[in-house]
Amino acid sequence: METMEKPIRIALTKGRLEKAAVEIFEGIGIDCTELKDKGRKLIFKDGEGKIEFVLVKAADVLTYVEHGAADIGIVGKDTLMEENKEFYEVVDLQVGKCKFAVASLPTFKMNEGYRRKKIATKYPNVTRNYFGKLGHDVEIIKIEGSVELAPILGLADAIVDIVETGTTLKENGLIVFEDVCSISARMIVNKASMKMKREPIGEIIKKVQEYVENK
Ligand code: PRP
């Protein structure tokens, strides 16, 4: 009897990483036509119905993959570092390259004065770990976006944020004081899917790895 196999579900991060992810999946021969002409839809199938793509916010990629509602996820290392979730990280996709950095106004001095420094960020865990390792006791102020405003408006002494081209910092008169670490997009896999769907998922990982290496 013919068995109808369930498609492999891949959660993609909406926005910046979307284009690069589509390029990779097209590069390994998956039909992404629906995904490229998507309108407001959030769920897409390849031509053969073997793959299903869903578009979600970065942190939600981890949630879907951790719970097995998606088998595979494409997400930035920044999100993986911030969220404490269970999954296998299988390929560094070498796209979406940027870094975490400590930045502020040029007059900022980390080691001046006795007051605890206030650090604004969208990534409180990354920030806590970074300053913790350095032995700096800082106060972390969580904000949701436009982080560069925080030192300008006096909400914080400095920020920990993503720097890609450096344009946002430059246009707002901030400079980098310390590089925290490099970031790029990663492919992650649900732990149970890796066992239960070993063959199709293994095939995708292998093809993506080869594609990334030969690019
Ligand atoms: C990110 C990040 C910086 C900017 C860096 O923000 O938080 O603000 O990109 O990129 P650049 O170095 O190339 O200028 P994002 O655009 O994702 O939006 P946000 O303001 O909501 O954080």
Side-chain angles (χ1 to χ4, degrees):
M1 199 174 71
E2 200 183 333
T3 51
M4 284 288 286
E5 275 192 28
K6 271 199 186 168
I8 300 293
R9 190 174 295 143
I10 306 180
L12 303 181
T13 302
K14 263 186 183 179
R16 284 188 190 220
L17 289 180
E18 224 176 288
K19 223 175 125 201
V22 169
E23 217 176 282
I24 291 170
F25 287 114
E26 277 200 319
I28 65 162
I30 296 173
D31 171 20
C32 298
T33 321
E34 259 198 36
L35 193 50
K36 285 198 294 183
D37 182 25
K38 59 183 165 55
R40 299 291 295 170
K41 267 179 75 172
L42 298 169
I43 187 159
F44 312 89
K45 284 209 163 62
D46 70 330
E48 300 170 55
K50 283 188 180 163
I51 308 279
E52 192 171 82
F53 292 104
V54 292
L55 279 177
V56 296
K57 283 203 170 190
D60 296 338
V61 169
L62 300 197
T63 306
Y64 280 104
V65 171
E66 182 182 50
H67 290 268
D71 302 297
I72 294 176
I74 304 295
V75 66
K77 182 72 178 174
D78 52 323
T79 309
L80 301 187
M81 286 171 70
E82 180 62 23
E83 308 285 329
N84 187 20
K85 296 263 165 73
E86 287 289 319
F87 51 80
Y88 293 124
E89 185 184 320
V90 291
V91 190
D92 179 346
L93 300 172
Q94 306 285 345
V95 294
K97 286 187 179 174
C98 50
K99 65 180 179 184
F100 271 129
V102 180
S104 189
L105 296 164
T107 49
F108 170 68
K109 288 198 178 67
M110 188 69 202
N111 296 312
E112 199 177 73
Y114 293 103
R115 189 178 54 78
R116 246 185 0 148
K117 294 287 184 288
K118 291 180 185 170
I119 312 291
T121 186
K122 281 192 280 189
Y123 301 86
N125 294 329
V126 170
T127 304
R128 193 172 301 110
N129 288 339
Y130 176 68
F131 285 107
K133 276 188 192 139
L134 293 176
H136 283 306
D137 180 24
V138 298
E139 179 184 341
I140 296 168
I141 302 176
K142 165 94 197 296
I143 46 179
E144 298 299 328
S146 304
V147 186
E148 292 80 2
L149 273 176
I152 300 170
L153 302 190
L155 175 69
D157 297 296
I159 60 172
V160 166
D161 200 20
I162 287 172
V163 180
E164 192 178 354
T165 61
T167 314
T168 315
L169 289 183
K170 201 167 165 218
E171 293 195 358
N172 291 290
L174 305 186
I175 57 169
V176 169
F177 282 86
E178 289 160 34
D179 286 350
V180 174
C181 66
S182 335
I183 297 167
S184 58
R186 306 296 159 105
M187 178 183 265
I188 60 168
V189 177
N190 169 266
K191 289 191 161 178
S193 302
M194 193 73 127
K195 289 194 192 81
M196 310 294 286
K197 303 178 184 179
R198 177 180 288 271
E199 221 176 283
I201 289 181
E203 180 110 331
I204 292 171
I205 295 173
K206 195 167 145 255
K207 282 185 183 165
V208 168
Q209 237 152 11
E210 280 170 7
Y211 177 86
V212 169
E213 276 163 23
N214 297 317
K215 236 195 131 205

